[in-house]
Amino acid sequence: MHQPLYRVVVAEARSRRDGAAVENLGTYRPGDKGNPIKVNLERVDYWLSKGAKPTNTMHSMIKKARRAATAKGETAPAAEAPANA
């Protein structure tokens, strides 16, 4: 009935825990099967290049999101390869 939904955000380290976020990067639904995290990896890379430091938990979630995006990208070409052979 109740399904938790968490926002993945960029926040200033000096701001309050419940303070305003700088940018909303995506969502995380822990009860979803498959890929519970939906995050804009381009914006994640942008913020990391600017010196943002993800928490340990968020770092592992970003890695999982990258693996899921890579697997999704590799699935389509692999399916086409046997058809071309």
Side-chain angles (χ1 to χ4, degrees):
M1 181 181 266
H2 296 283
Q3 296 181 350
L5 171 69
Y6 300 98
R7 292 182 301 141
V8 177
V9 299
V10 175
E12 285 285 333
R14 296 180 300 267
S15 68
R16 297 188 327 249
R17 180 182 62 97
D18 294 331
V22 176
E23 183 176 351
N24 186 7
L25 299 178
T27 58
Y28 171 63
R29 287 183 175 266
D32 282 358
K33 302 255 192 269
N35 188 14
I37 185 165
K38 292 180 177 49
V39 70
N40 184 343
L41 292 174
E42 291 177 11
R43 294 303 294 169
V44 168
D45 291 338
Y46 168 80
W47 283 108
L48 291 175
S49 73
K50 295 295 181 185
K53 295 185 187 279
T55 62
N56 291 338
T57 303
M58 195 61 230
H59 180 71
S60 67
M61 294 171 82
I62 290 170
K63 284 173 42 177
K64 287 180 186 177
R66 286 191 199 282
R67 275 188 253 135
T70 303
K72 185 187 266 188
E74 290 177 359
T75 303
E80 292 175 13
N84 294 337

